[in-house]
Amino acid sequence: MGRVLAAMLRPIPDTWLKLAEQATGFICRHFFEGFWHGVGFTLVALLVLLAMLSLARAESIPPEALRHRAELTRCSRYAFGLSAPVATLAAQVHQESRWRETAVSLVGARGLAQFMPATSKWIGDIVPELAGNTPFNPGWALRALAEYDKWLWDRVAARDDCQRMAMTLAGYNGGLGWVQRDKALAKRQGADPLTWFGQVERFNAGRYAAAFRENRGYPRRILGTLEPLYIRAGWGQGVCHAALAQ
């Protein structure tokens, strides 16, 4: 009996301890790695889902748009004529404010059309009916957007209507003067000053990088992503995509 107890109390060999330590480490490591991998996978899946939901929201027409559809159509045709690109202007309002009448940007742009205070005052000098300067009024804002677009449209030359509207939108976002300077720079560098996409849009006559990136993304998103959305929804024709048959 004494010999049995002595054997039981004999110190465990170092090799056994080492094996036990390795086994414990293996189990713990894989348990926690599996746990955190599971958590990580779940977090990634949630982030992807949120991104998809955000994208779906961004690429769908807000319900608020329907309240202003008739007024935008009227204002667009008043400025551009019966063949007005209503879907294009609807896409622009979407980009500017997502059809929120009371929208105010961080820099002070206001209303559906996101006019800055100085531009709101200026458009009233150009179009007497807009002298009231009420950017939070939907009718005023949509008329101002259409009239400003037409004013810019009349002052840019391009190869076709799609390129011309891209320049018009770039002017709305960043000012006509910058569009003209960028076109002049493009011409000096041997590019086509009458083509926006792939030509003039590559040249920066002096804007800050952030402003330049925003300005270049503005016509691309409106004409390439949002205009087709409104055409498919039956808002009429666009400039860069033929309206779908009703």
Side-chain angles (χ1 to χ4, degrees):
M1 185 67 173
R3 285 196 298 272
V4 173
L5 288 173
M8 293 176 63
L9 295 173
R10 184 181 304 157
I12 299 173
D14 290 342
T15 54
W16 289 22
L17 289 173
K18 190 171 184 63
L19 287 173
E21 180 182 355
Q22 291 175 349
T24 303
F26 177 84
I27 292 170
C28 291
R29 183 170 62 254
H30 282 75
F31 172 79
F32 285 110
E33 282 183 357
F35 174 78
W36 287 114
H37 284 171
V39 171
F41 177 80
T42 302
L43 288 174
V44 170
L46 285 173
L47 289 173
V48 170
L49 178 60
L50 289 173
M52 291 175 66
L53 290 173
S54 177
L55 182 62
R57 178 179 178 273
E59 309 308 345
S60 61
I61 297 176
E64 295 84 355
L66 297 178
R67 295 204 305 268
H68 306 296
R69 180 173 178 173
E71 183 66 14
L72 177 66
T73 300
R74 186 185 70 81
C75 292
S76 300
R77 289 176 175 171
Y78 192 91
F80 283 88
L82 293 179
S83 60
V86 179
T88 307
L89 271 61
Q92 186 182 6
V93 177
H94 182 127
Q95 176 65 18
E96 286 290 343
S97 63
R98 282 192 63 85
W99 298 94
R100 290 179 291 115
E101 300 171 11
T102 59
V104 179
S105 76
L106 294 176
V107 296
R110 301 175 294 176
L112 287 174
Q114 288 292 278
F115 268 42
M116 294 293 289
T119 311
S120 294
K121 182 178 183 303
W122 170 84
I123 198 70
D125 296 334
I126 302 300
V127 182
E129 295 91 335
L130 297 174
N133 190 1
T134 53
F136 292 118
N137 179 299
W140 187 97
L142 296 176
R143 175 75 185 278
L145 178 138
E147 293 289 351
Y148 188 25
D149 279 347
K150 184 58 166 61
W151 185 89
L152 291 163
W153 173 273
D154 289 341
R155 287 161 177 78
V156 292
R159 293 285 174 201
D160 55 46
D161 286 350
C162 182
Q163 306 297 333
R164 191 176 182 183
M165 181 55 77
M167 295 180 190
T168 295
L169 293 172
Y172 188 103
N173 175 262
L176 178 62
W178 281 113
V179 174
Q180 303 292 22
R181 286 191 285 275
D182 291 341
K183 291 181 69 176
L185 177 60
K187 184 177 181 179
R188 290 197 301 272
Q189 296 294 327
D192 182 4
L194 298 179
T195 300
W196 178 261
F197 294 114
Q199 296 292 316
V200 176
E201 70 170 348
R202 296 187 289 114
F203 296 89
N204 181 4
R207 265 170 290 195
Y208 289 115
F212 180 73
R213 285 194 300 271
E214 177 190 338
N215 186 256
R216 277 8 186 201
Y218 187 80
R220 279 193 171 273
R221 175 162 166 74
I222 291 171
L223 298 174
T225 301
L226 297 175
E227 180 187 276
L229 180 69
Y230 282 86
I231 292 174
R232 289 193 297 270
W235 283 61
Q237 66 184 28
V239 173
C240 291
H241 298 79
L244 299 178
Q246 300 299 311

